[in-house]
Amino acid sequence: MVTVRALRAKKGTTPITMLTAYDAPTARLIDEAEIDIILVGDSMGNTSLGYESTLPVTIDEMQSRTSAVARATTDALVVADMPFLSFGVDEAASIEHCGRMLKEADADAVKLESGPHTVELTERLVQLGIPVMAHLGLTPQRVKEVGYSRQGTDREEASKILELAKAHAEAGAFSLVLEHIPANLATQVTDAIDIPTIGIGAGAECDGQVLVIDDVIGLSDRTPPFAKQFGDVKSEMEKAIEGYRNAVTEGEFPAEEHSHVESDLDKLY
Ligand code: KIV
């Protein structure tokens, strides 16, 4: 079983692998493939729930999807991504919401889209036994403020990211996601802190990599420039759905082997 401690020990040695999942069958496949971490990302808002952004995702939706993923996972570390405004507004409510992910949904850790407002909260959660994955760079819950553009591109912004990374590592976060930032900034952050960095659009020098599962398997309508598609599940699904429709409309399905006849039931009227 992958533990927070085992992941920390991987820093600078073996690259950490992380993928998102939002349902049990996908989680089972990812777990069987020996991926280290399954992130129940709030990207489910875009990929699975049909929202325009991650902002509408609720704590109940996150809890339900995290439970499904945790039920199907044996070895990988399951991380619940805390939805917009479910943390950082009020300390007691933040702790209760994060606690629910461990107590009721069986997650192993939570992820917080981080900023100056999450340093103390990270420390408090860790004191209480809730492992925290931090997240800096592009944080999509700030879409209304910064869109989806690359972050940390000037010296001032880059220094802020570096300082926040150090603050979250000191506060006790066990790892840090770095999203859509220049690779040379990600390298410096990785060198400056003693917890693993996990990059998405942050170059090859992070301690690990994460991608959204829909991008990896080829199910997304739009793929970000830093993602790579490793399969074409969408065309397989299209083929299967069209095949089913044609078989039904042409009277080929169900065939005899898909039907069951009880002789006693003949001539009921
Ligand atoms: O919600 C998500 O999927 C994420 C990853 C892209 C890191 O936060």
Side-chain angles (χ1 to χ4, degrees):
M1 251 176 71
V2 179
T3 60
V4 162
R5 189 170 293 182
L7 281 170
R8 285 193 67 153
K10 279 191 160 198
K11 183 170 176 79
T13 58
T14 328
I16 294 169
T17 52
M18 171 159 127
L19 281 174
T20 66
Y22 320 103
D23 58 54
T26 310
R28 193 167 294 116
L29 289 173
I30 294 175
D31 193 44
E32 283 167 6
E34 297 183 9
I35 296 291
D36 296 309
I37 307 175
I38 302 183
L39 171 68
V40 190
D42 66 349
S43 49
M44 72 169 74
N46 307 90
T47 57
S48 306
L49 300 176
Y51 298 139
E52 281 296 314
S53 73
T54 60
L55 302 192
V57 174
T58 66
I59 191 91
D60 289 339
E61 285 165 340
M62 182 53 69
Q63 186 178 331
S64 159
R65 296 297 181 123
T66 302
S67 299
V69 166
R71 281 192 289 271
T73 302
T74 311
D75 292 322
L77 192 90
V78 174
V79 180
D81 199 7
M82 297 310 293
F84 181 53
L85 298 184
S86 69
F87 64 97
V89 180
D90 168 78
E91 189 186 78
S94 305
I95 293 169
E96 191 205 319
H97 292 151
C98 294
R100 256 172 76 181
M101 295 302 149
L102 270 68
K103 273 170 84 97
E104 293 170 39
D106 203 21
D108 299 306
V110 297
K111 177 168 85 60
L112 307 180
E113 290 197 9
S114 311
H117 63 300
T118 54
V119 178
E120 273 177 33
L121 178 60
T122 298
E123 193 166 9
R124 187 77 186 111
L125 290 167
V126 174
Q127 277 169 357
L128 291 168
I130 302 176
V132 175
M133 175 181 277
H135 180 166
L136 293 169
L138 172 62
T139 46
Q141 290 175 12
R142 300 197 90 91
V143 60
K144 302 279 185 194
E145 188 191 339
V146 294
Y148 292 111
S149 56
R150 186 177 287 117
Q151 300 295 302
T153 50
D154 62 50
R155 293 188 77 84
E156 194 186 333
E157 285 299 315
S159 302
K160 274 190 203 157
I161 291 173
L162 182 59
E163 290 315 310
L164 280 172
K166 288 183 193 164
H168 283 82
E170 269 164 36
F174 74 92
S175 60
L176 167 66
V177 169
L178 290 172
E179 181 166 355
H180 210 10
I181 61 170
N184 50 342
L185 170 58
T187 303
Q188 291 175 68
V189 172
T190 301
D191 290 344
I193 60 176
D194 63 356
I195 57 171
T197 56
I198 303 176
I200 173 163
E205 298 304 319
C206 293
D207 298 301
Q209 296 292 325
V210 55
L211 283 178
V212 166
I213 188 68
D214 295 56
D215 295 337
V216 170
I217 63 176
L219 200 54
S220 308
D221 288 332
R222 273 169 296 156
T223 307
F226 49 75
K228 180 170 173 184
Q229 190 180 324
F230 290 83
D232 193 1
V233 164
K234 190 172 180 184
S235 47
E236 285 301 314
M237 286 180 76
E238 282 166 356
K239 251 193 276 167
I241 294 163
E242 278 166 27
Y244 164 76
R245 184 202 57 207
N246 293 344
V248 171
T249 54
E250 287 159 23
E252 288 167 6
F253 179 83
E256 235 172 87
E257 68 264 29
H258 306 118
S259 307
H260 170 76
V261 174
E262 281 290 342
S263 49
D264 276 2
L265 297 182
D266 283 343
K267 297 204 168 78
L268 281 179
Y269 63 94

